[in-house]
PDB file of all heavy atoms in Angstrom:
ATOM      1  N   TYR A   1      -2.013  -1.496  -8.688  1.00  0.00           N
ATOM      2  CA  TYR A   1      -2.755  -0.536  -7.904  1.00  0.00           C
ATOM      3  C   TYR A   1      -2.654  -1.040  -6.450  1.00  0.00           C
ATOM      4  O   TYR A   1      -2.893  -2.230  -6.187  1.00  0.00           O
ATOM      5  CB  TYR A   1      -4.216  -0.508  -8.310  1.00  0.00           C
ATOM      6  CG  TYR A   1      -4.469  -0.031  -9.716  1.00  0.00           C
ATOM      7  CD1 TYR A   1      -5.056  -0.847 -10.667  1.00  0.00           C
ATOM      8  CD2 TYR A   1      -4.148   1.277 -10.090  1.00  0.00           C
ATOM      9  CE1 TYR A   1      -5.296  -0.415 -11.947  1.00  0.00           C
ATOM     10  CE2 TYR A   1      -4.384   1.740 -11.392  1.00  0.00           C
ATOM     11  CZ  TYR A   1      -4.959   0.881 -12.306  1.00  0.00           C
ATOM     12  OH  TYR A   1      -5.169   1.319 -13.585  1.00  0.00           O
ATOM     13  N   TRP A   2      -2.339  -0.158  -5.537  1.00  0.00           N
ATOM     14  CA  TRP A   2      -2.083  -0.661  -4.180  1.00  0.00           C
ATOM     15  C   TRP A   2      -2.398   0.375  -3.107  1.00  0.00           C
ATOM     16  O   TRP A   2      -2.510   1.583  -3.411  1.00  0.00           O
ATOM     17  CB  TRP A   2      -0.648  -1.140  -4.026  1.00  0.00           C
ATOM     18  CG  TRP A   2       0.334   0.027  -4.028  1.00  0.00           C
ATOM     19  CD1 TRP A   2       0.749   0.762  -5.109  1.00  0.00           C
ATOM     20  CD2 TRP A   2       0.972   0.595  -2.901  1.00  0.00           C
ATOM     21  NE1 TRP A   2       1.611   1.738  -4.690  1.00  0.00           N
ATOM     22  CE2 TRP A   2       1.783   1.670  -3.351  1.00  0.00           C
ATOM     23  CE3 TRP A   2       0.978   0.289  -1.518  1.00  0.00           C
ATOM     24  CZ2 TRP A   2       2.560   2.434  -2.489  1.00  0.00           C
ATOM     25  CZ3 TRP A   2       1.744   1.065  -0.653  1.00  0.00           C
ATOM     26  CH2 TRP A   2       2.517   2.130  -1.145  1.00  0.00           C
ATOM     27  N   ALA A   3      -2.536  -0.119  -1.892  1.00  0.00           N
ATOM     28  CA  ALA A   3      -2.700   0.766  -0.713  1.00  0.00           C
ATOM     29  C   ALA A   3      -2.349  -0.068   0.513  1.00  0.00           C
ATOM     30  O   ALA A   3      -2.473  -1.290   0.514  1.00  0.00           O
ATOM     31  CB  ALA A   3      -4.119   1.284  -0.599  1.00  0.00           C
ATOM     32  N   ARG A   4      -1.891   0.629   1.533  1.00  0.00           N
ATOM     33  CA  ARG A   4      -1.625  -0.010   2.825  1.00  0.00           C
ATOM     34  C   ARG A   4      -2.813   0.190   3.753  1.00  0.00           C
ATOM     35  O   ARG A   4      -3.487   1.221   3.700  1.00  0.00           O
ATOM     36  CB  ARG A   4      -0.357   0.564   3.447  1.00  0.00           C
ATOM     37  CG  ARG A   4       0.940   0.069   2.842  1.00  0.00           C
ATOM     38  CD  ARG A   4       2.152   0.591   3.590  1.00  0.00           C
ATOM     39  NE  ARG A   4       2.070   0.302   5.017  1.00  0.00           N
ATOM     40  CZ  ARG A   4       3.054   0.480   5.889  1.00  0.00           C
ATOM     41  NH1 ARG A   4       4.233   0.954   5.458  1.00  0.00           N
ATOM     42  NH2 ARG A   4       2.923   0.191   7.161  1.00  0.00           N
ATOM     43  N   TYR A   5      -3.024  -0.783   4.645  1.00  0.00           N
ATOM     44  CA  TYR A   5      -4.117  -0.752   5.599  1.00  0.00           C
ATOM     45  C   TYR A   5      -3.598  -1.031   7.010  1.00  0.00           C
ATOM     46  O   TYR A   5      -2.776  -1.934   7.212  1.00  0.00           O
ATOM     47  CB  TYR A   5      -5.186  -1.781   5.213  1.00  0.00           C
ATOM     48  CG  TYR A   5      -5.946  -1.396   3.972  1.00  0.00           C
ATOM     49  CD1 TYR A   5      -5.369  -1.589   2.722  1.00  0.00           C
ATOM     50  CD2 TYR A   5      -7.193  -0.799   4.040  1.00  0.00           C
ATOM     51  CE1 TYR A   5      -6.050  -1.190   1.551  1.00  0.00           C
ATOM     52  CE2 TYR A   5      -7.868  -0.407   2.908  1.00  0.00           C
ATOM     53  CZ  TYR A   5      -7.275  -0.615   1.670  1.00  0.00           C
ATOM     54  OH  TYR A   5      -7.958  -0.206   0.520  1.00  0.00           O
ATOM     55  N   GLU A   6      -4.116  -0.254   7.963  1.00  0.00           N
ATOM     56  CA  GLU A   6      -3.802  -0.536   9.367  1.00  0.00           C
ATOM     57  C   GLU A   6      -4.628  -1.716   9.877  1.00  0.00           C
ATOM     58  O   GLU A   6      -4.218  -2.489  10.711  1.00  0.00           O
ATOM     59  CB  GLU A   6      -4.070   0.699  10.229  1.00  0.00           C
ATOM     60  CG  GLU A   6      -3.008   1.773  10.136  1.00  0.00           C
ATOM     61  CD  GLU A   6      -1.660   1.292  10.571  1.00  0.00           C
ATOM     62  OE1 GLU A   6      -1.624   0.508  11.561  1.00  0.00           O
ATOM     63  OE2 GLU A   6      -0.652   1.682   9.979  1.00  0.00           O
ATOM     64  N   ASP A   7      -5.844  -1.819   9.334  1.00  0.00           N
ATOM     65  CA  ASP A   7      -6.737  -2.935   9.644  1.00  0.00           C
ATOM     66  C   ASP A   7      -7.743  -3.028   8.489  1.00  0.00           C
ATOM     67  O   ASP A   7      -7.709  -2.175   7.580  1.00  0.00           O
ATOM     68  CB  ASP A   7      -7.431  -2.736  10.990  1.00  0.00           C
ATOM     69  CG  ASP A   7      -8.253  -1.455  11.076  1.00  0.00           C
ATOM     70  OD1 ASP A   7      -9.179  -1.309  10.238  1.00  0.00           O
ATOM     71  OD2 ASP A   7      -7.950  -0.610  11.925  1.00  0.00           O
ATOM     72  N   PRO A   8      -8.620  -4.000   8.470  1.00  0.00           N
ATOM     73  CA  PRO A   8      -9.518  -4.170   7.322  1.00  0.00           C
ATOM     74  C   PRO A   8     -10.423  -3.004   6.991  1.00  0.00           C
ATOM     75  O   PRO A   8     -10.997  -2.937   5.884  1.00  0.00           O
ATOM     76  CB  PRO A   8     -10.327  -5.410   7.695  1.00  0.00           C
ATOM     77  CG  PRO A   8      -9.416  -6.202   8.587  1.00  0.00           C
ATOM     78  CD  PRO A   8      -8.718  -5.166   9.382  1.00  0.00           C
ATOM     79  N   ARG A   9     -10.581  -2.064   7.893  1.00  0.00           N
ATOM     80  CA  ARG A   9     -11.461  -0.902   7.666  1.00  0.00           C
ATOM     81  C   ARG A   9     -10.703   0.425   7.583  1.00  0.00           C
ATOM     82  O   ARG A   9     -11.336   1.451   7.370  1.00  0.00           O
ATOM     83  CB  ARG A   9     -12.518  -0.819   8.780  1.00  0.00           C
ATOM     84  CG  ARG A   9     -13.485  -1.987   8.825  1.00  0.00           C
ATOM     85  CD  ARG A   9     -14.377  -1.897  10.058  1.00  0.00           C
ATOM     86  NE  ARG A   9     -15.355  -2.958  10.089  1.00  0.00           N
ATOM     87  CZ  ARG A   9     -15.110  -4.193  10.519  1.00  0.00           C
ATOM     88  NH1 ARG A   9     -13.874  -4.504  10.920  1.00  0.00           N
ATOM     89  NH2 ARG A   9     -16.058  -5.117  10.531  1.00  0.00           N
ATOM     90  N   THR A  10      -9.404   0.388   7.743  1.00  0.00           N
ATOM     91  CA  THR A  10      -8.631   1.641   7.840  1.00  0.00           C
ATOM     92  C   THR A  10      -7.512   1.667   6.836  1.00  0.00           C
ATOM     93  O   THR A  10      -6.487   1.010   7.007  1.00  0.00           O
ATOM     94  CB  THR A  10      -8.073   1.846   9.251  1.00  0.00           C
ATOM     95  OG1 THR A  10      -9.097   1.683  10.237  1.00  0.00           O
ATOM     96  CG2 THR A  10      -7.444   3.240   9.392  1.00  0.00           C
ATOM     97  N   ARG A  11      -7.717   2.441   5.752  1.00  0.00           N
ATOM     98  CA  ARG A  11      -6.665   2.610   4.757  1.00  0.00           C
ATOM     99  C   ARG A  11      -5.737   3.731   5.135  1.00  0.00           C
ATOM    100  O   ARG A  11      -6.157   4.753   5.679  1.00  0.00           O
ATOM    101  CB  ARG A  11      -7.310   2.906   3.381  1.00  0.00           C
ATOM    102  CG  ARG A  11      -6.327   3.205   2.298  1.00  0.00           C
ATOM    103  CD  ARG A  11      -6.898   3.063   0.887  1.00  0.00           C
ATOM    104  NE  ARG A  11      -8.294   3.402   0.746  1.00  0.00           N
ATOM    105  CZ  ARG A  11      -8.763   4.595   0.476  1.00  0.00           C
ATOM    106  NH1 ARG A  11      -7.958   5.621   0.334  1.00  0.00           N
ATOM    107  NH2 ARG A  11     -10.074   4.789   0.314  1.00  0.00           N
ATOM    108  N   VAL A  12      -4.448   3.553   4.836  1.00  0.00           N
ATOM    109  CA  VAL A  12      -3.425   4.548   5.105  1.00  0.00           C
ATOM    110  C   VAL A  12      -3.142   5.324   3.820  1.00  0.00           C
ATOM    111  O   VAL A  12      -2.525   4.799   2.898  1.00  0.00           O
ATOM    112  CB  VAL A  12      -2.124   3.909   5.616  1.00  0.00           C
ATOM    113  CG1 VAL A  12      -1.065   4.990   5.899  1.00  0.00           C
ATOM    114  CG2 VAL A  12      -2.390   3.094   6.876  1.00  0.00           C
ATOM    115  N   GLY A  13      -3.628   6.545   3.717  1.00  0.00           N
ATOM    116  CA  GLY A  13      -3.410   7.350   2.518  1.00  0.00           C
ATOM    117  C   GLY A  13      -4.300   6.945   1.358  1.00  0.00           C
ATOM    118  O   GLY A  13      -5.251   6.166   1.510  1.00  0.00           O
ATOM    119  N   GLU A  14      -3.964   7.472   0.191  1.00  0.00           N
ATOM    120  CA  GLU A  14      -4.757   7.236  -1.006  1.00  0.00           C
ATOM    121  C   GLU A  14      -4.199   6.086  -1.833  1.00  0.00           C
ATOM    122  O   GLU A  14      -2.994   5.798  -1.773  1.00  0.00           O
ATOM    123  CB  GLU A  14      -4.798   8.510  -1.859  1.00  0.00           C
ATOM    124  CG  GLU A  14      -5.478   9.695  -1.182  1.00  0.00           C
ATOM    125  CD  GLU A  14      -6.927   9.389  -0.845  1.00  0.00           C
ATOM    126  OE1 GLU A  14      -7.626   8.778  -1.678  1.00  0.00           O
ATOM    127  OE2 GLU A  14      -7.343   9.756   0.270  1.00  0.00           O
ATOM    128  N   PRO A  15      -5.039   5.415  -2.631  1.00  0.00           N
ATOM    129  CA  PRO A  15      -4.554   4.364  -3.518  1.00  0.00           C
ATOM    130  C   PRO A  15      -3.524   4.961  -4.519  1.00  0.00           C
ATOM    131  O   PRO A  15      -3.595   6.139  -4.840  1.00  0.00           O
ATOM    132  CB  PRO A  15      -5.795   3.887  -4.254  1.00  0.00           C
ATOM    133  CG  PRO A  15      -6.926   4.278  -3.344  1.00  0.00           C
ATOM    134  CD  PRO A  15      -6.511   5.546  -2.710  1.00  0.00           C
ATOM    135  N   ALA A  16      -2.608   4.119  -4.976  1.00  0.00           N
ATOM    136  CA  ALA A  16      -1.570   4.582  -5.890  1.00  0.00           C
ATOM    137  C   ALA A  16      -1.340   3.514  -6.934  1.00  0.00           C
ATOM    138  O   ALA A  16      -1.782   2.358  -6.801  1.00  0.00           O
ATOM    139  CB  ALA A  16      -0.275   4.877  -5.132  1.00  0.00           C
ATOM    140  N   VAL A  17      -0.624   3.873  -7.992  1.00  0.00           N
ATOM    141  CA  VAL A  17      -0.205   2.919  -9.029  1.00  0.00           C
ATOM    142  C   VAL A  17       1.305   3.043  -9.168  1.00  0.00           C
ATOM    143  O   VAL A  17       1.817   4.148  -9.354  1.00  0.00           O
ATOM    144  CB  VAL A  17      -0.948   3.153 -10.359  1.00  0.00           C
ATOM    145  CG1 VAL A  17      -0.727   4.563 -10.882  1.00  0.00           C
ATOM    146  CG2 VAL A  17      -0.519   2.114 -11.386  1.00  0.00           C
ATOM    147  N   ASP A  18       1.992   1.912  -9.062  1.00  0.00           N
ATOM    148  CA  ASP A  18       3.451   1.926  -9.118  1.00  0.00           C
ATOM    149  C   ASP A  18       3.972   0.586  -9.627  1.00  0.00           C
ATOM    150  O   ASP A  18       3.249  -0.439  -9.599  1.00  0.00           O
ATOM    151  CB  ASP A  18       4.043   2.137  -7.708  1.00  0.00           C
ATOM    152  CG  ASP A  18       3.846   3.545  -7.187  1.00  0.00           C
ATOM    153  OD1 ASP A  18       4.512   4.479  -7.718  1.00  0.00           O
ATOM    154  OD2 ASP A  18       3.028   3.714  -6.257  1.00  0.00           O
ATOM    155  N   ARG A  19       5.228   0.586 -10.045  1.00  0.00           N
ATOM    156  CA  ARG A  19       5.913  -0.672 -10.306  1.00  0.00           C
ATOM    157  C   ARG A  19       6.217  -1.334  -8.956  1.00  0.00           C
ATOM    158  O   ARG A  19       6.653  -0.665  -8.023  1.00  0.00           O
ATOM    159  CB  ARG A  19       7.195  -0.441 -11.085  1.00  0.00           C
ATOM    160  CG  ARG A  19       6.961  -0.027 -12.526  1.00  0.00           C
ATOM    161  CD  ARG A  19       8.262   0.123 -13.290  1.00  0.00           C
ATOM    162  NE  ARG A  19       8.023   0.451 -14.692  1.00  0.00           N
ATOM    163  CZ  ARG A  19       7.820  -0.444 -15.649  1.00  0.00           C
ATOM    164  NH1 ARG A  19       7.847  -1.731 -15.336  1.00  0.00           N
ATOM    165  NH2 ARG A  19       7.571  -0.075 -16.896  1.00  0.00           N
ATOM    166  N   PRO A  20       6.018  -2.639  -8.852  1.00  0.00           N
ATOM    167  CA  PRO A  20       6.242  -3.302  -7.569  1.00  0.00           C
ATOM    168  C   PRO A  20       7.610  -3.043  -6.955  1.00  0.00           C
ATOM    169  O   PRO A  20       7.719  -2.822  -5.761  1.00  0.00           O
ATOM    170  CB  PRO A  20       6.032  -4.787  -7.915  1.00  0.00           C
ATOM    171  CG  PRO A  20       5.062  -4.767  -9.048  1.00  0.00           C
ATOM    172  CD  PRO A  20       5.456  -3.557  -9.876  1.00  0.00           C
ATOM    173  N   ALA A  21       8.661  -3.078  -7.804  1.00  0.00           N
ATOM    174  CA  ALA A  21      10.006  -2.873  -7.271  1.00  0.00           C
ATOM    175  C   ALA A  21      10.166  -1.518  -6.604  1.00  0.00           C
ATOM    176  O   ALA A  21      10.951  -1.355  -5.680  1.00  0.00           O
ATOM    177  CB  ALA A  21      11.025  -3.032  -8.376  1.00  0.00           C
ATOM    178  N   ASP A  22       9.405  -0.524  -7.082  1.00  0.00           N
ATOM    179  CA  ASP A  22       9.515   0.851  -6.531  1.00  0.00           C
ATOM    180  C   ASP A  22       8.894   1.000  -5.154  1.00  0.00           C
ATOM    181  O   ASP A  22       9.137   1.995  -4.458  1.00  0.00           O
ATOM    182  CB  ASP A  22       8.880   1.844  -7.508  1.00  0.00           C
ATOM    183  CG  ASP A  22       9.637   1.937  -8.822  1.00  0.00           C
ATOM    184  OD1 ASP A  22      10.822   1.529  -8.866  1.00  0.00           O
ATOM    185  OD2 ASP A  22       9.053   2.414  -9.817  1.00  0.00           O
ATOM    186  N   ILE A  23       8.047   0.040  -4.770  1.00  0.00           N
ATOM    187  CA  ILE A  23       7.395   0.143  -3.464  1.00  0.00           C
ATOM    188  C   ILE A  23       7.836  -0.979  -2.506  1.00  0.00           C
ATOM    189  O   ILE A  23       7.247  -1.139  -1.428  1.00  0.00           O
ATOM    190  CB  ILE A  23       5.852   0.140  -3.597  1.00  0.00           C
ATOM    191  CG1 ILE A  23       5.385  -1.186  -4.231  1.00  0.00           C
ATOM    192  CG2 ILE A  23       5.378   1.331  -4.390  1.00  0.00           C
ATOM    193  CD1 ILE A  23       3.859  -1.357  -4.200  1.00  0.00           C
ATOM    194  N   ALA A  24       8.856  -1.722  -2.915  1.00  0.00           N
ATOM    195  CA  ALA A  24       9.265  -2.902  -2.145  1.00  0.00           C
ATOM    196  C   ALA A  24       9.570  -2.561  -0.691  1.00  0.00           C
ATOM    197  O   ALA A  24       9.170  -3.281   0.238  1.00  0.00           O
ATOM    198  CB  ALA A  24      10.472  -3.569  -2.816  1.00  0.00           C
ATOM    199  N   GLU A  25      10.297  -1.458  -0.464  1.00  0.00           N
ATOM    200  CA  GLU A  25      10.661  -1.096   0.908  1.00  0.00           C
ATOM    201  C   GLU A  25       9.415  -0.675   1.713  1.00  0.00           C
ATOM    202  O   GLU A  25       9.377  -0.914   2.926  1.00  0.00           O
ATOM    203  CB  GLU A  25      11.685   0.023   0.879  1.00  0.00           C
ATOM    204  CG  GLU A  25      13.046  -0.379   0.336  1.00  0.00           C
ATOM    205  CD  GLU A  25      14.054   0.733   0.471  1.00  0.00           C
ATOM    206  OE1 GLU A  25      13.713   1.786   1.060  1.00  0.00           O
ATOM    207  OE2 GLU A  25      15.183   0.558  -0.010  1.00  0.00           O
ATOM    208  N   ARG A  26       8.457  -0.094   1.064  1.00  0.00           N
ATOM    209  CA  ARG A  26       7.274   0.428   1.769  1.00  0.00           C
ATOM    210  C   ARG A  26       6.320  -0.693   2.173  1.00  0.00           C
ATOM    211  O   ARG A  26       5.500  -0.493   3.080  1.00  0.00           O
ATOM    212  CB  ARG A  26       6.562   1.456   0.908  1.00  0.00           C
ATOM    213  CG  ARG A  26       7.449   2.638   0.577  1.00  0.00           C
ATOM    214  CD  ARG A  26       6.895   3.498  -0.531  1.00  0.00           C
ATOM    215  NE  ARG A  26       5.661   4.198  -0.156  1.00  0.00           N
ATOM    216  CZ  ARG A  26       4.968   4.953  -0.961  1.00  0.00           C
ATOM    217  NH1 ARG A  26       5.387   5.148  -2.220  1.00  0.00           N
ATOM    218  NH2 ARG A  26       3.863   5.554  -0.550  1.00  0.00           N
ATOM    219  N   VAL A  27       6.372  -1.817   1.502  1.00  0.00           N
ATOM    220  CA  VAL A  27       5.469  -2.942   1.842  1.00  0.00           C
ATOM    221  C   VAL A  27       6.211  -4.114   2.451  1.00  0.00           C
ATOM    222  O   VAL A  27       5.606  -5.164   2.719  1.00  0.00           O
ATOM    223  CB  VAL A  27       4.692  -3.389   0.588  1.00  0.00           C
ATOM    224  CG1 VAL A  27       3.891  -2.237   0.003  1.00  0.00           C
ATOM    225  CG2 VAL A  27       5.620  -3.993  -0.477  1.00  0.00           C
ATOM    226  N   ALA A  28       7.512  -3.973   2.664  1.00  0.00           N
ATOM    227  CA  ALA A  28       8.317  -5.087   3.183  1.00  0.00           C
ATOM    228  C   ALA A  28       7.807  -5.553   4.538  1.00  0.00           C
ATOM    229  O   ALA A  28       7.468  -4.754   5.406  1.00  0.00           O
ATOM    230  CB  ALA A  28       9.750  -4.646   3.303  1.00  0.00           C
ATOM    231  N   GLY A  29       7.722  -6.866   4.675  1.00  0.00           N
ATOM    232  CA  GLY A  29       7.310  -7.466   5.926  1.00  0.00           C
ATOM    233  C   GLY A  29       5.829  -7.546   6.160  1.00  0.00           C
ATOM    234  O   GLY A  29       5.381  -8.075   7.189  1.00  0.00           O
ATOM    235  N   LEU A  30       5.032  -7.045   5.206  1.00  0.00           N
ATOM    236  CA  LEU A  30       3.592  -7.031   5.393  1.00  0.00           C
ATOM    237  C   LEU A  30       2.939  -8.155   4.559  1.00  0.00           C
ATOM    238  O   LEU A  30       3.335  -8.373   3.406  1.00  0.00           O
ATOM    239  CB  LEU A  30       3.005  -5.699   4.935  1.00  0.00           C
ATOM    240  CG  LEU A  30       3.408  -4.437   5.707  1.00  0.00           C
ATOM    241  CD1 LEU A  30       2.776  -3.217   5.061  1.00  0.00           C
ATOM    242  CD2 LEU A  30       3.037  -4.553   7.168  1.00  0.00           C
ATOM    243  N   PRO A  31       1.950  -8.828   5.103  1.00  0.00           N
ATOM    244  CA  PRO A  31       1.129  -9.696   4.250  1.00  0.00           C
ATOM    245  C   PRO A  31       0.398  -8.874   3.219  1.00  0.00           C
ATOM    246  O   PRO A  31       0.172  -7.683   3.414  1.00  0.00           O
ATOM    247  CB  PRO A  31       0.186 -10.381   5.225  1.00  0.00           C
ATOM    248  CG  PRO A  31       0.096  -9.463   6.382  1.00  0.00           C
ATOM    249  CD  PRO A  31       1.445  -8.805   6.485  1.00  0.00           C
TER     250      PRO A  31
END
């Protein structure tokens, strides 16, 4: 289950469920 955040209080979009490999490009370079 995952989501991206611009900062600790600001989520980008809705939470999702995916296989990690399928979202690798979307989360690349982020802590």
Side-chain angles (χ1 to χ4, degrees):
Y1 296 117
W2 71 285
R4 284 185 53 170
Y5 289 78
E6 283 299 323
D7 59 60
R9 295 173 177 81
T10 309
R11 175 162 32 90
V12 180
E14 296 300 318
V17 58
D18 290 288
R19 289 183 177 273
D22 293 340
I23 61 171
E25 292 185 4
R26 299 166 67 182
V27 302
L30 297 177

